[in-house]
Amino acid sequence: QVQLVESGGGLVQAGGSLRLSCAASGRTFGSYIMGWFRQAPGKEREFVANINWNGVSTTYADSVKGRFTISRDNAKNTVYLQMNSLKPEDTAVYYCALKFVGRLKYDYWGQGTHITVSS
């Protein structure tokens, strides 16, 4: 089993920045991909970004490209999401997730952290 705990959410004004962290514990050996997703009120959960096991390959949703940066520190089993130039439409609950290489779906999810961007 893997446990994921997010932190770093909060209230920020439009144009501001926040950094989310997600610490993984438990069965974290092996190669795995970590991702960030978000769910805005009344909307379905959507993909934000992911990063492969060695941090070399990253993928972003078009809506956050150029503003968000995903990174990871394998020594700490932690993934980060640096969010800059935040917009009110970034308001959502942000979730980190983990899947092992070869898996189609993310198997493990954090509890989520709220971000509110005020205009």
Side-chain angles (χ1 to χ4, degrees):
Q1 289 294 321
V2 174
Q3 294 78 42
L4 302 174
V5 178
E6 303 101 334
S7 60
L11 173 65
V12 64
Q13 288 188 335
S17 299
L18 281 175
R19 188 177 83 154
L20 303 182
S21 300
C22 175
S25 61
R27 181 184 166 237
T28 54
F29 56 87
S31 299
Y32 54 92
I33 295 167
M34 296 192 76
W36 286 97
F37 293 76
R38 67 186 182 186
Q39 186 167 19
K43 295 186 177 181
E44 294 188 352
R45 186 169 58 193
E46 64 176 0
F47 169 79
V48 175
N50 69 11
I51 187 167
N52 74 333
W53 68 275
N54 63 3
V56 172
S57 177
T58 58
T59 305
Y60 295 92
D62 288 343
S63 59
V64 306
K65 279 182 182 176
R67 299 188 299 121
F68 292 9
T69 302
I70 189 171
S71 61
R72 66 190 290 169
D73 183 341
N74 284 344
K76 297 181 179 179
N77 288 329
T78 299
V79 65
Y80 304 97
L81 186 68
Q82 176 66 44
M83 304 181 293
N84 298 328
S85 301
L86 283 161
K87 305 174 181 179
E89 51 263 44
D90 294 318
T91 295
V93 178
Y94 284 71
Y95 300 89
C96 73
L98 180 151
K99 64 176 178 177
F100 290 98
V101 172
R103 298 282 294 175
L104 292 178
K105 294 183 178 181
Y106 286 83
D107 295 307
Y108 303 97
W109 294 83
Q111 80 287 353
T113 185
H114 290 259
I115 291 177
T116 301
V117 183
S118 62
S119 57

